[in-house]
Amino acid sequence: MAKTLKQSAIELFDYTRDLRRDLHQHPELGFQEYRTANIIARELNQLGLQAKTEVAETGVVGLLQGAQPGPAVLLRFDMDALPIQEETGLDFASQVPGVMHACGHDGHVAVGLTAARLLAGVKDAFHGAVKFMFQPAEEGLGGAEKMIDAGVLENPRVDVALALHLWNERPVGWVAVVPGPFMAGGDFFSIRLKGSGGHGAMPDQTTDPIIAAAELISALQSVVSRNVSPLRAAVLSVTQVTAGSAFNVIPSEVEIRGTIRSFEIEVRDRVLLRFEQLVRGIAASFGCEVEIDVQQLTPAVFNNPTVTDWVEQAVLAAAPEVNLDRTYRTMVSEDMAFVLQRVPGCYLFAGSGQSDANLNYGHHHPRFTIDERVLPLAAGLICSAALEVLRRLEAGRM
């Protein structure tokens, strides 16, 4: 069946590509994916999947039943765009000013709808159900949690969850299927230093938060390097500094914002402890008051080793020619982590980088685009993985 799925996915290439390009031209931000959701619902309903819409505002869920009752596997595809002005110059570039699909979610939706077509065509050959989760607002707005709260993992109860990301850091033909921690957990932080401002020519009459901020930003670079083993991983990046309104005025406040990434709870706890100690200590040494706000965006994406082994076998059976990577990890975060906290599963990557170096830009870049040859490969792989998982679950091997 794997060869049949692969060939069928190739035969559907025009369908997948045209969907992706249409979505690329009409990107929508998180919780605003109304047009995208309508297209998804239309395609699912045509396949007889009876799409459920307005799940967590703009999410869509479709359910495909196999020949007999059995286990249920969830396939998740995110669908939101980013607030970025596109600079690709493509014939199908975004028609929405300031919004573009700069992360590949247009391709994810197209792959998901193609997968629905492929699996609907072989539904008499498997037991159980495949639930399609088209998720809004992956880009830091909590879409996965809202869909979970809306019951996406129930009715029927999901046994295993799978997801796939097109990945421009690697070329087409590269696939990452990695057990254990795979994508980092992400935290957002905001530090507000409060002093007392005044004239730039009389700094002795102020409590200068600019100087405190400069010292703090430099010192924060030691949090990871001096508190986390070089054999483990964490990132602390300052990404925003806001202060001042005139060249000759020392402001009363500075706000510093950034992100912390880690794979392990123990490492995260250690980084956050030293982060707070350092911030409060430096603020006090400069006579500033300080407010610290840390919010967890996502936990780490953790791939269940057993499910990941099944997925690996499915990938190799469906496309033995791929370059399978079992060790790749990234500090990028993903809210699929919330699903995988509740349901065992596997998140895999499929390389989508352009062979033309002039077109090969990374995720969230205004010139980002994918090599569309990845689309049928990705659709075939996620379908093969779903069927293998259902077969293993039916056999009672988990």
Side-chain angles (χ1 to χ4, degrees), residues 92-371:
F92 53 91
S94 170
Q95 297 178 5
V96 183
V99 182
M100 77 169 286
H101 273 293
C103 200
H105 297 184
D106 50 343
H108 296 173
V109 173
V111 166
L113 291 174
T114 303
R117 278 199 169 198
L118 292 170
L119 292 173
V122 297
K123 64 181 181 181
D124 292 336
F126 66 84
H127 292 183
V130 179
K131 184 178 287 190
F132 294 87
M133 172 184 173
F134 289 91
Q135 180 205 308
E138 184 277 329
E139 297 287 356
L141 297 176
E145 289 180 287
K146 287 195 173 184
M147 288 200 80
I148 292 169
D149 291 342
V152 71
L153 301 181
E154 307 296 335
N155 301 315
R157 172 66 182 172
V158 171
D159 297 289
V160 166
L162 304 176
L164 176 146
H165 206 301
L166 306 180
W167 200 242
N168 264 30
E169 304 303 314
R170 294 292 187 273
V172 175
W174 173 89
V175 177
V177 184
V178 181
F182 181 47
M183 302 179 75
D187 292 277
F188 157 82
F189 68 79
S190 172
I191 303 165
R192 190 176 296 275
L193 294 167
K194 298 182 178 182
S196 57
H199 201 293
M202 295 180 283
D204 57 300
Q205 298 180 21
T206 72
T207 301
D208 189 348
I210 293 283
I211 296 296
E215 183 74 17
L216 178 57
I217 291 168
S218 178
L220 285 174
Q221 308 314 305
S222 71
V223 170
V224 172
S225 67
R226 293 300 178 266
N227 294 280
V228 177
S229 165
L231 302 179
R232 303 168 90 173
V235 169
L236 190 159
S237 292
V238 173
T239 57
Q240 291 179 287
V241 181
T242 305
S245 59
F247 79 94
N248 59 349
V249 177
I250 293 173
S252 296
E253 292 188 8
V254 176
E255 184 177 18
I256 302 168
R257 306 174 82 191
T259 187
I260 297 169
R261 305 294 170 106
S262 58
F263 291 105
E264 303 168 75
I265 293 175
E266 179 184 349
V267 170
R268 175 179 181 265
D269 290 345
R270 175 66 174 166
V271 169
L272 290 178
L273 174 63
R274 293 296 295 130
F275 167 81
E276 180 162 357
Q277 290 173 338
L278 192 65
V279 172
R280 294 196 183 282
I282 289 178
S285 71
F286 282 87
C288 292
E289 297 179 12
V290 65
E291 295 177 359
I292 302 172
D293 180 30
V294 178
Q295 298 178 23
Q296 185 180 45
L297 299 176
T298 70
V301 170
F302 184 89
N303 286 337
N304 178 274
T306 299
V307 175
T308 303
D309 180 63
W310 298 347
V311 171
E312 177 183 326
Q313 294 181 48
V315 166
L316 291 175
E321 74 280 6
V322 302
N323 174 17
L324 185 67
D325 192 332
R326 300 174 176 86
T327 62
Y328 184 88
R329 295 198 297 175
T330 176
M331 300 308 290
V332 173
S333 298
E334 235 285 354
D335 71 359
M336 180 65 183
F338 290 108
V339 175
L340 296 179
Q341 277 190 326
R342 293 162 175 81
V343 179
C346 179
Y347 196 112
L348 60 152
F349 282 176
S352 55
Q354 288 277 355
S355 56
D356 183 343
N358 294 321
L359 298 174
N360 197 21
Y361 292 90
H363 298 263
H364 295 208
H365 191 282
R367 294 186 181 180
F368 172 91
T369 189
I370 62 170
D371 185 333

Side-chain angles (χ1 to χ4, degrees), residues 1 5-6 9 75 77 111-112 114-120 122 130 132 162 164 314 318 377-390:
M1 183 178 292
L5 283 172
K6 180 181 177 182
L75 303 184
F77 307 94
V111 166
T114 303
R117 278 199 169 198
L118 292 170
L119 292 173
V122 297
V130 179
F132 294 87
L162 304 176
L164 176 146
L377 173 63
L381 292 183
I382 199 70
C383 289
S384 298
L387 292 177
E388 178 66 11
V389 167
L390 285 174

Side-chain angles (χ1 to χ4, degrees), residues 23-24 26-41 53-61 76-82 99-101 103-110 133-139 147 334-335:
L23 294 168
H24 193 88
H26 303 93
E28 296 170 302
L29 297 174
F31 296 123
Q32 300 175 32
E33 307 96 331
Y34 301 105
R35 181 181 184 274
T36 304
N38 286 336
I39 291 172
I40 293 168
T53 59
E54 299 181 2
V55 181
E57 298 187 36
T58 49
V60 183
V61 177
R76 178 276 206 161
F77 307 94
D78 44 5
M79 58 187 192
D80 54 325
L82 285 156
V99 182
M100 77 169 286
H101 273 293
C103 200
H105 297 184
D106 50 343
H108 296 173
V109 173
M133 172 184 173
F134 289 91
Q135 180 205 308
E138 184 277 329
E139 297 287 356
M147 288 200 80
E334 235 285 354
D335 71 359

Side-chain angles (χ1 to χ4, degrees), residues 2-16:
K3 288 185 178 179
T4 302
L5 283 172
K6 180 181 177 182
Q7 184 58 43
S8 296
I10 293 171
E11 292 171 358
L12 286 172
F13 175 69
D14 288 349
Y15 168 81
T16 316

